Amino acid sequence: MGTLQLQNISLSYGERDLLINISSTIDTNTKAALAGINGSGKSTLLKIITGSIEPDTGTIHSTKGMLVSYLPQSGIVLKARSLYEELESAFDSFVNLIKRKNHIESLLSESQEHSKQTDNLLEELNSLEEHLLYSNYYQREAKILQIAKGLGFNPEDTHRQCKEFSGGWQMRIALGKILLEQPDLLLLDEPTNYLDVEARVWLNHYLNQYHGGYLLVSHDRYFLDETTNEVLELFHGDLKRYPGTYSAYEKKKELELEQLKKAYEQQKIEIDHIESFIERFRYKASKAKQVQSRIKQLEKIVPIQLPFETKSLRFTFPAPPHSGNDIFRLENLNKSYGDHQVIVDLNLHVQKGDRIAISGKNGMGKTTLLNILAERDSQFTGSKNRGAGISMGYFAQDTDASLNDNLTIFEEVEATSPSARVHQLRSLLGSFLFHGDDINKSVSILSGGEKSRVSLLKILLQPVNVLILDEPTNHLDLASKDMLLRALEDYRGTLLFVSHDIDFIKHLATKILYLSEEGAELFEGDYEYFSWKLNQKQLLEEEEKKQEITPEVHPKRQLDRQERNRLKNRLRTLQKDETRILEEIDVKEGILSDLHHQLSLPENYSNGLKAAKLNKEIENAEISIEGLSLQWDEMTTEIEEIQLDIEL
Ligand SMILES: Nc1ncnc2c1ncn2[C@@H]1O[C@H](COP(=O)(O)OP(=O)(O)OP(=O)(O)O)[C@@H](O)[C@H]1O
Ligand SMILES: [Mg+2]
């Protein structure tokens, strides 16, 4: 079992003691949440553990050979290679093992006689083989496809270049690679920020059967409850352990605070009491002894420190300037990336005062649509009209890209509103929890939550009548999230937003635009209505599917243009994939027949070790071919169905 030991870790930034004498032990059985409000030092602590930040004092020891993998909160830069190649690079460390294995094998085949040295080599070979067998190395192809699928990638995505994916999807690629590395300890910094519900559920199950330990940062209570059994909390520089679920920790924490406040009040009464006694009898000779003893008593009391109240941001959006009733009118809007069509014939009329939540699985084009509406993307066809007197505020999903790393917080907000007075900006920054010298911090060193706060603040500087928000709650701690929700509830302008936070949609949305493989559908009602309608629709579809089993009774349904386009796109992709898979099967079958041939040679089948090795390789090749054939089977069935549908 691997163990990682933190001893007396401290780190200060200027006046601020971020981490104070932290000691803790984390091992391969640890399943813990790392908690704390925005800016409490969670990401910093993870970076210290992985060695990318040097603490002022303290040491970290880990068991020799213990593999620790870390996924940062943001800012991943992937190499210029395909998704598959990137994921496969998780197995890079095996290249040396394979080289060593081949080398030993050739040494063994050359050596004529039995010796101590050949014994040692055989032993090493055995342990290498064992390691390779248990590490998924031979099944890496199937493993890569399984993890890519779990994280929401389509089979055809695996050959796309990493740089073609959006920031959030690149983070998923990085997460996939780390999972494939199968480290002894996983350190994941807010992975839930870029995962939709399906992918979260998948990661949840994956972690539940994970063999190693992990430390997770997340603001998703449900996810943490399901995956962890203790909480390590950073609070005012201290790291404290709370056994049990995250919800239990929250309750315990509340209770602790209450008790601390009570003890503080109690102590205050006691101190006042003693002080007044001393004051009263200070000059009375007859009481000198008692006074002395009270003074000593007072000196012995260790004053209870109340934590600063947990601060939360506080703000309201400025009143929206006047606009006409029509905000946006989209007609037959189409958008593709290469031959991948994301938005198909979208028609949408946004009216003044609408609060539209854009919902749907990842990859359905939510961010793409917001970018088009916010005029950050003009590469589309169809028409998009914007009403009169519209002014827009836009919160990008990728806050890193929307802030300038070379500026300080103050310069960043000043650049957005050059006419604002310094004291006005200072007071606004204060309500966003940037006090005193904080405002001179460089944007580049801010925590995830702090960056989100700066981006929100920039929107507040100009009164707008349309707010376009792409996942604004990512990175925010629970208290900050609540404040944003309250401010948005009071906002009187038009709101278009994407959020995975069900609470947000429930409280804010008056309409829901649902994007799916079948195109876009506007539900003119709130979240309750939307879920009810969606449920009804699914029931209806299931019913239709059942009836479709007897096709001659039910004539073929007429496909609309949108559906036909989608099917044609899908068909093209499937046909490309089919060719690729058939080629791969060909190659693998060549390898398999070569292996069979080798096994039929007397010098191989009569050598126990070689025969066992060849048999293992044959087994792996067969597994791999079987996997590919299964995929091919599924593909051909889908191809036939689509061809039938569009009657090619
Ligand atoms: N080089 C630096 N100089 C000064 N302050 C820094 C530096 N690096 C980080 N900080 C500050 O240290 C604090 C802790 O940052 P960290 O990223 O660890 O927070 P966090 O707990 O991960 O927050 P979040 O929940 O927002 O991700 C923040 O206030 C950040 O601005
Ligand atoms: Mg962080």
Side-chain angles (χ1 to χ4, degrees), residues 39 42-44 73 189-190 217 447-449:
K42 304 178 294 294
S43 301
T44 307
Q73 191 167 0
D189 200 349
E190 309 218 13
V217 182
S447 77

Side-chain angles (χ1 to χ4, degrees), residues 83 164 245 293 323 326 403 423 574 632:
L83 162 58
E164 284 177 28
T245 62
S293 111
S323 73
D326 281 347
L403 299 176
H423 76 270
L574 281 169
W632 180 74

Side-chain angles (χ1 to χ4, degrees), residues 203-250:
L203 181 62
N204 182 345
H205 291 314
Y206 190 89
L207 290 175
N208 286 153
Q209 44 81 41
Y210 194 65
H211 66 85
Y214 49 78
L215 201 53
L216 306 177
V217 182
S218 168
H219 298 295
D220 182 333
R221 182 186 294 128
Y222 178 78
F223 182 78
L224 290 177
D225 274 348
E226 292 291 310
T227 49
T228 61
N229 54 25
E230 63 173 332
V231 175
L232 307 188
E233 190 213 36
L234 270 176
F235 191 71
H236 292 161
D238 197 20
L239 187 73
K240 208 169 154 190
R241 273 190 127 109
Y242 293 82
T245 62
Y246 189 80
S247 298
Y249 144 80
E250 285 186 312

Side-chain angles (χ1 to χ4, degrees), residues 13 16 38-44 73 441 445 447-450:
Y13 285 126
R16 174 148 187 233
N38 287 143
S40 55
K42 304 178 294 294
S43 301
T44 307
Q73 191 167 0
K441 271 188 189 174
I445 54 148
S447 77
E450 288 168 341

Side-chain angles (χ1 to χ4, degrees), residues 143-412:
K143 209 66 200 155
I144 289 170
L145 293 177
Q146 178 206 350
I147 285 188
K149 185 168 177 237
L151 288 172
F153 292 97
N154 296 319
E156 59 265 36
D157 286 338
T158 49
H159 294 277
R160 284 173 64 194
Q161 287 295 303
C162 290
K163 64 176 182 341
E164 284 177 28
F165 293 94
S166 66
W169 282 88
Q170 292 198 10
M171 292 302 296
R172 287 192 191 210
I173 299 177
L175 172 60
K177 182 176 162 189
I178 276 177
L179 297 181
L180 284 163
E181 281 170 2
Q182 298 208 296
D184 303 301
L185 184 63
L186 267 169
L187 307 174
L188 303 180
D189 200 349
E190 309 218 13
T192 46
N193 283 352
Y194 39 87
L195 298 181
D196 55 12
V197 181
E198 281 95 341
R200 272 182 210 206
V201 170
W202 178 85
L203 181 62
N204 182 345
H205 291 314
Y206 190 89
L207 290 175
N208 286 153
Q209 44 81 41
Y210 194 65
H211 66 85
Y214 49 78
L215 201 53
L216 306 177
V217 182
S218 168
H219 298 295
D220 182 333
R221 182 186 294 128
Y222 178 78
F223 182 78
L224 290 177
D225 274 348
E226 292 291 310
T227 49
T228 61
N229 54 25
E230 63 173 332
V231 175
L232 307 188
E233 190 213 36
L234 270 176
F235 191 71
H236 292 161
D238 197 20
L239 187 73
K240 208 169 154 190
R241 273 190 127 109
Y242 293 82
T245 62
Y246 189 80
S247 298
Y249 144 80
E250 285 186 312
K251 279 198 197 107
K252 183 123 197 279
K253 181 85 191 155
E254 211 172 295
L255 219 70
E256 266 182 21
L257 258 167
E258 250 170 54
Q259 281 165 350
L260 195 70
K261 276 185 196 157
K262 267 193 204 143
Y264 174 84
E265 293 302 328
Q266 203 72 44
Q267 193 185 55
K268 204 161 156 277
I269 294 171
E270 196 188 335
I271 293 174
D272 285 351
H273 200 69
I274 301 173
E275 280 177 346
S276 72
F277 182 94
I278 298 172
E279 198 54 38
R280 211 155 10 122
F281 302 113
R282 185 186 291 262
Y283 305 108
K284 258 204 162 148
S286 62
K287 296 267 186 193
K289 219 169 156 198
Q290 285 100 318
V291 169
Q292 272 315 310
S293 111
R294 294 286 148 79
I295 290 177
K296 279 208 182 108
Q297 203 183 343
L298 201 59
E299 280 168 358
K300 274 193 205 141
I301 293 178
V302 182
I304 294 174
Q305 297 279 356
L306 265 195
F308 320 110
E309 276 315 321
T310 325
K311 295 175 239 157
S312 59
L313 83 153
R314 217 157 275 281
F315 67 98
T316 45
F317 287 95
H322 179 73
S323 73
N325 261 334
D326 281 347
I327 305 291
F328 296 116
R329 208 179 265 278
L330 309 181
E331 273 165 23
N332 296 328
L333 190 110
N334 282 279
K335 164 82 193 176
S336 308
Y337 294 108
D339 58 4
H340 175 52
Q341 187 152 15
V342 186
I343 298 177
V344 185
D345 287 340
L346 174 69
N347 294 300
L348 178 70
H349 182 198
V350 179
Q351 289 162 296
K352 185 173 171 177
D354 275 350
R355 291 154 168 266
I356 305 182
I358 297 163
S359 169
K361 279 196 280 185
N362 278 115
M364 285 300 130
K366 303 187 294 290
T367 296
T368 305
L369 178 59
L370 288 192
N371 275 331
I372 290 174
L373 292 173
E375 286 167 11
R376 299 163 64 89
D377 181 356
S378 53
Q379 305 292 307
F380 57 86
T381 60
S383 82
K384 174 184 150 268
N385 289 313
R386 159 186 172 152
I390 304 270
S391 48
M392 281 187 281
Y394 174 71
F395 181 95
Q397 183 175 19
D398 185 3
T399 41
D400 274 7
S402 64
L403 299 176
N404 184 344
D405 264 358
N406 301 318
L407 300 181
T408 65
I409 300 180
F410 187 80
E411 289 164 349
E412 176 78 54

